[in-house]
Amino acid sequence: MLFSKKPATLPDAESALPGRSSPISTASTHYVFGRDLQGPVPDGYETAVFGLGCFWGAERKFWQQNGVWLTRVGYAGGITPNPTYEEVCSGGTGHTEIVEVIFNPKEVSFAELMKLFLENHDPTQGMRQGNDIGTQYRSAVYTTSDAQAETAREMIATYEKALAASGHAAQITTEVKPLDKVYLAEDYHQQYLAKNPNGYCGMGGIGVSCPIGLGVTS
């Protein structure tokens, strides 16, 4: 079993899998919205990228959010170019499973998406999410602007205080970095729970509300 043993640490450039020069095959149409899955971002819309465990259940949370134009799942935050799902699951690429969210900021703010992100997983667990163990399940926000980065860090700090006040001593381990590249996942992963309504979800928050305070509204 080539990918049965998962490392708990991220690979460096020398040890990461080589990947490939061409993108892997994926879907052409969003199964829920019927829109071009790989089309351009509409004018005035923004992109946000979140990793919160298994991307099957995570994607559904975001496509159900008002103001979201499109969602697509993939891999980000790693080294290996154009990785496959099996390679990401091996821990040898450095990527985590993510949901790329294209949204209308006039209908939903990045802060509201951050709130959805924080409340629907446990951001204190490091290289895992519940029973899903591995570097590909780490909590992450890959930002596409300085404003997103500032909002993400402010809200994480606020949520950490809310967790402490509720008796959760663990610190948040969410990775916040500028987005480098999203590699779209294979066809069968896209909108998986719309295609398989009884499929594995794995989503679960801590049960603590994340406040959106004054000055955290972008």
Side-chain angles (χ1 to χ4, degrees):
M1 294 291 290
L2 179 61
F3 299 116
S4 61
K5 186 177 181 180
K6 299 178 181 179
T9 58
L10 295 171
D12 58 21
E14 292 183 356
S15 62
L17 294 173
R20 55 203 47 79
S21 59
S22 299
I24 61 174
S25 178
T26 189
S28 59
T29 304
H30 195 284
Y31 189 82
V32 176
F33 295 146
R35 296 175 179 135
D36 184 352
L37 191 76
Q38 301 180 60
V41 177
D43 290 344
Y45 283 52
E46 296 181 18
T47 300
V49 177
F50 302 101
L52 56 161
C54 176
F55 50 22
W56 292 348
E59 185 182 19
R60 181 170 62 182
K61 288 291 183 182
F62 287 101
W63 85 54
Q64 292 174 338
Q65 171 67 51
N66 290 337
V68 169
W69 167 261
L70 198 76
T71 58
R72 47 199 182 196
V73 297
Y75 317 112
I79 298 170
T80 300
N82 300 299
T84 66
Y85 178 68
E86 288 77 12
E87 288 170 344
V88 172
C89 288
S90 77
T93 74
H95 296 287
T96 190
E97 296 185 16
I98 58 87
V99 182
E100 185 175 21
V101 182
I102 299 171
F103 65 100
N104 184 349
K106 295 180 180 178
E107 297 181 19
V108 61
S109 67
F110 176 74
E112 289 172 310
L113 297 177
M114 273 294 301
K115 178 179 172 69
L116 186 69
F117 161 76
L118 287 168
E119 291 181 351
N120 282 280
H121 76 304
D122 183 345
T124 70
Q125 292 196 325
M127 300 299 184
R128 67 182 299 165
Q129 197 59 215
N131 291 326
D132 295 327
I133 300 172
T135 56
Q136 77 272 25
Y137 298 118
R138 70 186 184 276
S139 177
V141 181
Y142 299 114
T143 59
T144 58
S145 68
D146 290 342
Q148 282 191 6
E150 182 178 357
T151 296
R153 291 191 175 96
E154 287 180 1
M155 291 189 66
I156 287 169
T158 299
Y159 195 51
E160 195 163 61
K161 293 177 182 177
L163 294 182
S166 299
H168 296 272
Q171 292 186 328
I172 290 177
T173 60
T174 301
E175 180 177 281
V176 180
K177 292 182 177 179
L179 179 65
D180 179 19
K181 174 75 175 178
V182 168
Y183 297 101
L184 295 183
E186 293 85 342
D187 187 344
Y188 75 97
H189 290 300
Q190 304 296 338
Q191 301 84 59
Y192 178 86
L193 289 180
K195 301 170 186 173
N196 303 275
N198 296 319
Y200 173 75
C201 177
M203 296 296 296
I206 298 177
V208 177
S209 177
C210 177
I212 300 180
L214 296 175
V216 189
T217 56
S218 62

